[in-house]
Amino acid sequence: MDIPVIRDVLEESNALAKENRARFDEHKLYVVNIMSSPGSGKTTLLSKTIPLLQQRGLRCAVIEGDITSTIDSERLQPLGIPVVQANTEPFGGDCHVGAHLVQAALKYLDLSALDILFIENIGNLVCPAEFYLGENRKVVVLSTTEGEDKPLKYPLMFRECSVCLISKMDLAPHLDIDVAQITSNIRKTNAQITVLPVSSKTGEGLDAWVEWLVKKS
């Protein structure tokens, strides 16, 4: 009797991600997958980061992931860059952007006219970390409002990422949180991760973040 063997559920996704990566490499395009829980400030961070990259002559675009709505894409429109919305609701409401969605979004982008492509993933600290999209780097944004314990509760996210941006630093003095403890907990999950405190409101840390992007791209 033949015994059925279930294929690795990630096999098809990884194959598509490799195709994405081949296209990125063909165009020497640097791709950053940004992940976080909802409300950490990813979109605002991008709205502040991209003009700084443009000042350095870098051409940017965003694939905006969400379950539904185009709210975040509309917030990025004033930047005058290509933005493609990738909603998962028509595909079952997945809690992460899949490689197939990235591949579909690429049809709407002129990759030869870009230097950096950001994928703003759907907000949660679990599913997005499990999927390779073909990106060069994964980045996690953790806001000060989330407290110290999230890196210990969701370690895979922090293990998978090259950088953790601790966002909303302007709120830190008003919260009962310990930023040093947040940083310590992040490093307990990934000793190699770069930790950068930032504030999109005050501009704190954005130069260091942009410098990291420029050096890696």
Side-chain angles (χ1 to χ4, degrees):
M1 181 179 73
D2 292 334
I3 299 176
V5 178
I6 299 173
R7 296 172 62 199
D8 181 355
V9 295
L10 296 178
E11 184 177 327
E12 184 176 355
S13 175
N14 286 336
L16 293 174
K18 288 179 180 177
E19 292 177 10
N20 293 341
R21 182 55 181 269
R23 292 192 62 189
F24 299 149
D25 288 345
E26 177 187 353
H27 294 281
K28 298 179 179 178
L29 179 61
Y30 189 70
V31 181
V32 181
N33 179 9
I34 300 183
M35 301 174 286
S36 77
S37 55
S40 66
K42 294 189 300 297
T43 307
T44 303
L45 178 72
L46 284 174
S47 72
K48 300 293 183 180
T49 299
I50 289 171
L52 296 175
L53 292 169
Q54 290 172 320
Q55 290 174 13
R56 295 177 180 237
L58 295 170
R59 302 163 297 175
C60 304
V62 176
I63 296 175
E64 184 64 53
D66 216 332
I67 293 177
T68 186
S69 92
T70 57
I71 293 172
D72 290 344
S73 289
E74 292 166 14
R75 290 175 59 194
L76 296 175
Q77 277 189 327
L79 298 177
I81 61 167
V83 179
V84 181
Q85 184 70 43
N87 286 345
T88 63
E89 187 176 43
F91 305 95
D94 285 348
C95 57
H96 63 276
V97 172
H100 63 294
L101 275 182
V102 172
Q103 197 161 96
L106 296 183
K107 297 174 184 177
Y108 300 93
L109 296 170
D110 179 2
L111 302 188
S112 63
L114 297 174
D115 298 302
I116 299 181
L117 172 63
F118 293 100
I119 301 169
E120 183 179 345
N121 219 307
I122 294 172
N124 77 78
L125 287 174
V126 183
C127 307
E130 299 174 358
F131 294 89
Y132 174 52
L133 306 179
E135 72 274 64
N136 296 90
R137 290 287 185 275
K138 290 182 171 73
V139 172
V140 58
V141 180
L142 178 69
S143 68
T144 54
T145 57
E146 296 174 70
E148 296 95 349
D149 58 353
K150 296 304 179 293
L152 303 181
K153 287 184 173 181
Y154 307 99
L156 179 63
M157 175 62 73
F158 296 86
R159 289 184 194 134
E160 290 290 318
C161 289
S162 302
V163 170
C164 177
L165 301 171
I166 303 178
S167 65
K168 303 186 181 181
M169 284 297 296
D170 51 289
L171 296 178
H174 311 289
L175 300 170
D176 184 21
I177 56 105
D178 183 343
V179 175
Q181 187 62 55
I182 296 174
T183 302
S184 175
N185 288 345
I186 292 168
R187 295 199 186 286
K188 285 179 183 175
T189 66
N190 181 354
Q192 306 302 316
I193 194 169
T194 298
V195 180
L196 298 173
V198 299
S199 168
S200 297
K201 184 174 182 179
T202 67
E204 176 186 349
L206 293 185
D207 286 342
W209 160 232
V210 168
E211 194 64 31
W212 183 88
L213 285 168
V214 170
K215 285 183 178 178
K216 297 295 181 181
S217 65

